[in-house]
Amino acid sequence: MSLYRDQAVVLRSWKLGEADRIVSLHTYDNGKVRGVAKGVRRTKSKFGARLEPLSHVSIQMYRGRSDLDTITQVETISRFVSLRGDPQRFARAQALLEAVEGVAQDREPDRVLHVMLVKALSTLAERDSGLVVAAFFLKLLAHEGLQPQLDVCYRCGTQAELVAFDLDDGGVLCRRCRRGRPVSAEAVDLMRRILGGGLGSVLAEESTSPSGASTEVEALATALLEHHLERRLRSIAVLDQT
Ligand SMILES: [Zn+2]
């Protein structure tokens, strides 16, 4: 039983009883943690407002015997205000949070994942693009050891005519081996560049000459992550409606 400090992104929150709120956090040092903020719904405290989903915060928590830690102090690092005003942007940010909620394990420290999330939210705050979400999903899968095979046919190893992508295989397939969904050479190239660390240049190009390959990559990255999580992402369903 102890008091600790950490930095965290609020993934989601829900009501507990009359006055309390439970928040799911992804922290820098302690992985995914659930904490209870006591009394925040009774008093209109700043404390509660600081724990809205999406916020990047510095927290102090008390870890007792239960699975739920008690949040004792919260300071805002960033609220990512620009992501909150617009429904599409907000849904994209939510998709990142939902992916981390689904993939991260309770109390399993993962600093790489934490930094990836904060960076992706910052990038999305600067540039509203579905490719930021797609890139995050692809990198998240790679981080989980599930990097899609994009260089050669998953089945026969040829580099020529890669025309399909199969979610079960998690890789591209040539014309002879094809199954799953069709994929364009441009989309394969875009995914290779994103996973090779080239998201910055991909985004710069997209802003001057948008291509259909972006939409294709967004759909494929979402399908891959949902395949891994074995469920649909709620926030993506919201995005599909906007
Ligand atoms: Zn093949």
Side-chain angles (χ1 to χ4, degrees):
M1 285 177 274
S2 61
L3 207 57
Y4 65 94
R5 288 194 152 275
D6 208 336
Q7 293 197 355
V9 173
V10 182
L11 301 177
R12 65 191 181 105
S13 82
W14 58 100
K15 293 172 183 175
L16 175 71
E18 290 285 296
D20 304 342
R21 194 164 266 287
I22 296 178
V23 290
S24 175
L25 304 158
H26 195 273
T27 68
Y28 183 65
D29 278 325
N30 293 277
K32 188 170 74 178
V33 175
R34 286 184 176 181
V36 60
K38 291 196 170 136
V40 289
R41 288 171 48 229
R42 187 164 288 150
T43 58
K44 280 195 170 176
S45 67
K46 278 188 181 166
F47 191 74
R50 287 175 191 152
L51 289 167
E52 283 172 357
L54 208 62
S55 290
H56 186 205
V57 293
S58 171
I59 46 164
Q60 189 182 65
M61 309 244 269
Y62 176 78
R63 183 169 180 182
R65 288 178 199 280
S66 97
D67 289 342
L68 278 176
D69 295 359
T70 304
I71 300 166
T72 52
Q73 270 180 42
V74 189
E75 283 152 39
T76 305
I77 298 169
S78 174
R79 292 187 66 237
F80 294 110
V81 177
S82 66
L83 298 177
R84 294 179 187 272
D86 174 70
Q88 176 167 283
R89 261 186 164 186
F90 189 67
R92 283 185 171 143
Q94 286 285 336
L96 305 183
L97 304 181
E98 203 181 338
V100 170
E101 174 78 35
V103 167
Q105 303 294 312
D106 288 345
R107 298 198 198 275
E108 234 174 64
D110 191 341
R111 287 180 172 181
V112 172
L113 174 58
H114 185 78
V115 171
M116 272 174 61
L117 175 60
V118 173
K119 264 177 118 173
L121 288 171
S122 307
T123 306
L124 199 58
E126 284 163 21
R127 189 188 291 267
D128 182 26
S129 165
L131 273 182
V132 177
V133 179
F136 183 76
F137 288 176
L138 291 172
K139 288 175 182 172
L140 183 60
L141 288 164
H143 178 63
E144 291 290 296
L146 296 164
Q147 172 148 347
Q149 160 74 273
L150 298 168
D151 294 328
V152 296
C153 172
Y154 184 84
R155 308 214 142 204
C156 75
T158 183
Q159 290 179 303
E161 291 196 286
L162 303 169
V163 297
F165 191 100
D166 187 66
L167 294 177
D168 286 322
D169 289 345
V172 287
L173 296 161
C174 73
R175 189 168 295 283
R176 208 158 47 88
C177 305
R178 72 177 148 191
R179 59 180 213 176
R181 55 166 74 201
V183 67
S184 71
E186 294 75 28
V188 173
D189 179 57
L190 211 52
M191 288 191 286
R192 284 179 187 158
R193 288 174 60 197
I194 287 170
L195 284 168
L199 178 63
S201 69
V202 165
L203 287 173
E205 267 168 43
E206 190 202 28
S207 64
T208 53
S209 58
S211 86
S214 305
T215 317
E216 211 183 326
V217 168
E218 287 166 34
L220 188 56
T222 300
L224 261 173
L225 185 74
E226 289 180 340
H227 187 74
H228 173 57
L229 294 175
E230 296 180 330
R231 62 177 175 79
R232 291 224 54 200
L233 291 166
R234 284 186 308 272
S235 36
I236 295 294
V238 171
L239 268 176
D240 287 346
Q241 287 159 17
T242 58

